[in-house]
């Protein structure tokens, strides 16, 4: 499900705050295993926020088809995401399409794991679901919110700190691409973690 989103900015690290704002509109989303929430795309403004792109279906939810009706009340809602106010507009149902290259802003792993441990964990997870792909962990860009020198990202949920890394999977078969998009990798998918989508073209 894709919804248009009108506003100026959202926090760059907005996964938990976005889900909390959604729960204020639809109170039965807590623990919803049928729901994953994509990170909102935007351009970093250098001050810890993302500038929203105009005319884009920027709020994207990965939803079990049987549960589509449960998220329709999002249309027309106003969300306050750590003080940044955005308005949710019309929705569209977008079927998943197989593409060879997918990316996730952050895939989580237990606290304290370094990059090497994470890579081993990720390959084990891919083996478990029977997916073959070339794995990339993008180099850090330096100024992104929550990004460390080795490329790791940090998600704060109340008093809890969650560690993870951005991931790109390349060379997926059509079947494996759909499997990754359906299942994701790792936990906290309602907070935007482990949710894979086709890579955006440069620019």
């Amino acid at each position: 499900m894709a919804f248009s989103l009108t506003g100026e900015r959202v926090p760059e690290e907005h996964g938990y705050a976005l889900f909390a704002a959604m729960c204020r509109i639809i109170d039965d989303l807590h623990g919803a295993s049928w729901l994953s929430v994509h990170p909102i795309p935007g351009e970093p403004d250098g001050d810890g926020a993302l500038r929203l792109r105009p005319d884009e279906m920027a709020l994207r939810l990965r939803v079990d088809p049987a549960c589509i009706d449960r998220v329709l009340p999002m249309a027309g809602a106003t969300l306050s995401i750590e003080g940044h106010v955005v308005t949710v507009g019309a929705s569209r149902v977008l079927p998943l399409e197989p593409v060879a290259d997918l990316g996730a802003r952050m895939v989580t792993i237990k606290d304290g794991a370094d990059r090497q441990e994470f890579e081993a964990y990720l390959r084990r997870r891919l083996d478990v679901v029977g997916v073959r792909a070339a794995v990339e962990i993008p180099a850090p860009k330096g100024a992104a919110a929550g990004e460390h020198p080795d490329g790791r990202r940090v998600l704060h949920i109340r008093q809890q700190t969650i560690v993870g890394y951005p991931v790109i999977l390349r060379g997926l078969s059509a079947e494996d691409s759909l499997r990754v998009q359906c299942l994701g990798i790792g936990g906290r998918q309602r907070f935007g973690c482990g949710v894979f989508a086709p890579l955006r073209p440069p620019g």
Side-chain angles (χ1 to χ4, degrees):
M1 291 293 293
F3 295 83
S4 63
L5 206 59
T6 303
E8 295 184 1
R9 289 173 173 81
V10 296
E12 194 162 357
E13 184 190 320
H14 58 259
Y16 177 71
L18 171 60
F19 183 68
M22 292 171 55
C23 288
R24 289 192 286 270
I25 305 301
I26 306 173
D27 59 10
D28 68 345
L29 296 183
H30 292 284
S33 61
W34 47 268
L35 172 69
S36 299
V37 181
H38 286 266
I40 295 172
E43 301 296 335
D45 69 357
D47 196 28
L50 295 175
R51 292 188 297 272
L52 297 181
R53 301 183 178 105
D55 303 321
E56 184 165 11
M57 306 297 281
L59 178 60
R60 298 197 172 212
L61 313 178
R62 190 66 50 80
V63 181
D64 185 303
C67 298
I68 286 176
D69 288 349
R70 297 174 69 174
V71 299
L72 291 180
M74 292 300 306
T78 298
L79 304 180
S80 177
I81 306 171
E82 292 186 352
H84 295 267
V85 178
V86 295
T87 301
V88 183
S91 65
R92 284 194 294 166
V93 177
L94 303 178
L96 298 182
E97 297 183 359
V99 296
D101 301 334
L102 297 172
R105 184 180 185 276
M106 175 179 175
V107 175
T108 62
I109 190 173
K110 63 183 180 181
D111 294 349
D114 61 20
R115 187 184 180 105
Q116 187 175 6
E117 292 172 319
F118 175 79
E119 290 178 353
Y121 159 83
L122 183 59
R123 293 191 181 280
R124 289 195 302 271
R125 293 302 307 162
L126 291 174
D127 287 343
V128 166
V129 295
V131 168
R132 299 183 63 181
V135 177
E136 295 181 18
I137 299 178
K141 297 179 181 178
E147 195 169 78
H148 289 241
D150 69 348
R152 76 176 63 182
R153 295 180 182 274
V154 174
L155 173 67
H156 299 287
I157 303 174
R158 297 194 180 96
Q159 303 303 314
Q160 188 177 16
T161 299
I162 309 299
V163 176
Y165 289 84
V167 172
I168 294 174
L169 302 178
R170 297 191 184 276
L172 291 156
S173 68
E175 181 181 358
D176 285 353
S177 177
L178 291 175
R179 182 178 293 119
V180 170
Q181 291 182 70
C182 287
L183 300 178
I185 297 177
R188 281 89 180 188
Q189 293 186 22
R190 292 188 299 278
F191 307 145
C193 300
V195 186
F196 284 79
L199 297 177
R200 285 177 170 272

